[in-house]
């Protein structure tokens, strides 16, 4: 059983590694992240249970795999978990809203595409992603791809930091996806 869980963890973690590697080839691959936003809800609708979190989530596998040996494993304070939970669900909703609305604005020519990564919506990261493959992407797709990447990047960084300081899967206590799934399940 332990062997099965570990093998599964390797496979699922590979999805995250593959995702971030592909975006170095071209940012348009970040659109694969949209599947990670949709598949949990499809699984929930089909099984009536949150099997995504239990068996399939690549992020929780990465957190366990990379952090289980190095995490400081401090106990997270209750105030942190409850505040972070509320902030992150708002952040996640707002972020998706901005991603869609700004893409619409780009498509009608009201704003130029934002072709760089932002941390938590507002902070431009101090590096550019190398783009090894030129796919001649349209400005609309380019903009939306960077926005999706920014969501995935921000949540992964926060998950890793929380997991390093506290328990490896602390992110799961505040995860907006789980909150949304629980809300839909009700
Ligand atoms: S709580 Fe979030 S990160 Fe954890 S398993 Fe569920 S979807 Fe994945």
């Amino acid at each position: 059983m332990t062997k099965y869980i570990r093998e599964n963890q390797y496979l699922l973690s590979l999805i995250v590694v593959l995702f971030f590697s592909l975006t170095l080839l071209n940012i348009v691959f970040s659109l694969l992240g949209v599947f990670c936003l949709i598949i949990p809800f499809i699984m929930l609708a089909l099984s009536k249970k949150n099997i995504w979190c239990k068996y399939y989530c690549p992020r929780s596998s990465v957190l366990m795999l990379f952090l289980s040996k190095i995490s400081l494993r401090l106990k997270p304070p209750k105030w942190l978990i409850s505040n972070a939970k509320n902030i992150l669900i708002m952040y996640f909703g707002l972020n998706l809203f901005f991603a869609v609305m700004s893409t619409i604005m780009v498509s009608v020519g009201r704003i130029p595409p934002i072709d760089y990564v932002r941390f938590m919506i507002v902070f431009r990261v101090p590096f550019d992603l190398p783009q090894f493959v030129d796919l001649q992407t349209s400005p609309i797709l380019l903009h939306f791809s960077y926005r999706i990447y920014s969501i995935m990047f921000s949540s992964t960084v926060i998950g890793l930091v929380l997991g390093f300081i506290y328990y490896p899967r602390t992110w799961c206590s505040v995860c907006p996806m789980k909150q949304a799934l629980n809300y839909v399940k009700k």
Side-chain angles (χ1 to χ4, degrees):
M1 184 65 177
T2 316
K3 187 169 172 261
Y4 169 78
I5 292 172
R6 187 153 285 279
E7 278 171 4
N8 227 15
Q9 237 173 32
Y10 284 135
L11 276 177
L12 290 167
S13 302
L14 204 62
I15 294 174
V16 178
V17 174
L18 200 64
F19 171 81
F20 284 108
S21 306
L22 284 173
T23 57
L24 298 181
L25 295 181
N26 193 283
I27 191 65
V28 84
F29 286 110
S30 72
L31 296 178
L32 293 171
V34 174
F35 288 110
C36 279
L37 301 177
I38 295 171
I39 291 173
F41 292 97
I42 296 175
M43 285 183 169
L44 179 65
L46 294 177
S47 69
K48 310 285 178 230
K49 287 183 203 152
N50 181 0
I51 55 172
W52 173 261
C53 285
K54 204 165 179 187
Y55 302 115
Y56 300 109
C57 177
R59 172 160 301 160
S60 68
S61 297
V62 160
L63 294 174
M64 281 311 289
L65 201 66
F66 288 125
L67 299 175
S68 57
K69 295 239 165 55
I70 58 167
S71 171
L72 301 177
R73 290 179 186 270
L74 302 178
K75 191 168 184 272
K78 278 193 186 134
W79 62 264
L80 177 81
I81 297 297
S82 54
N83 286 333
K85 235 173 156 172
N86 295 334
I87 291 168
L88 284 168
I89 189 77
M90 275 193 292
Y91 154 77
F92 192 68
L94 266 179
N95 212 345
L96 275 178
F97 178 76
F98 283 141
V100 173
M101 291 309 288
S102 60
T103 304
I104 294 171
M105 299 290 264
V106 171
S107 71
V108 296
R110 295 287 294 274
I111 57 169
I114 302 173
D115 55 355
Y116 53 82
V117 183
R118 277 181 175 173
F119 180 70
M120 294 293 281
I121 308 180
V122 282
F123 307 106
R124 180 173 182 169
V125 298
F127 58 83
D128 286 327
L129 289 180
Q131 296 290 277
F132 294 113
V133 178
D134 184 7
L135 292 181
Q136 300 294 329
T137 316
S138 78
I140 303 164
L141 208 58
L142 188 73
H143 175 85
F144 193 58
S145 301
Y146 269 105
R147 303 296 43 88
I148 293 295
Y149 181 92
S150 297
I151 295 175
M152 303 304 269
F153 173 77
S154 303
S155 51
T156 303
V157 170
I158 297 169
L160 286 170
V161 172
L162 285 175
F164 176 71
I165 300 172
Y166 304 109
Y167 302 122
R169 282 188 63 182
T170 300
W171 170 259
C172 290
S173 316
V174 297
C175 174
M177 177 58 80
K178 188 168 85 177
Q179 293 187 66
L181 287 168
N182 286 343
Y183 183 76
V184 173
K185 206 170 107 189
K186 275 182 194 164

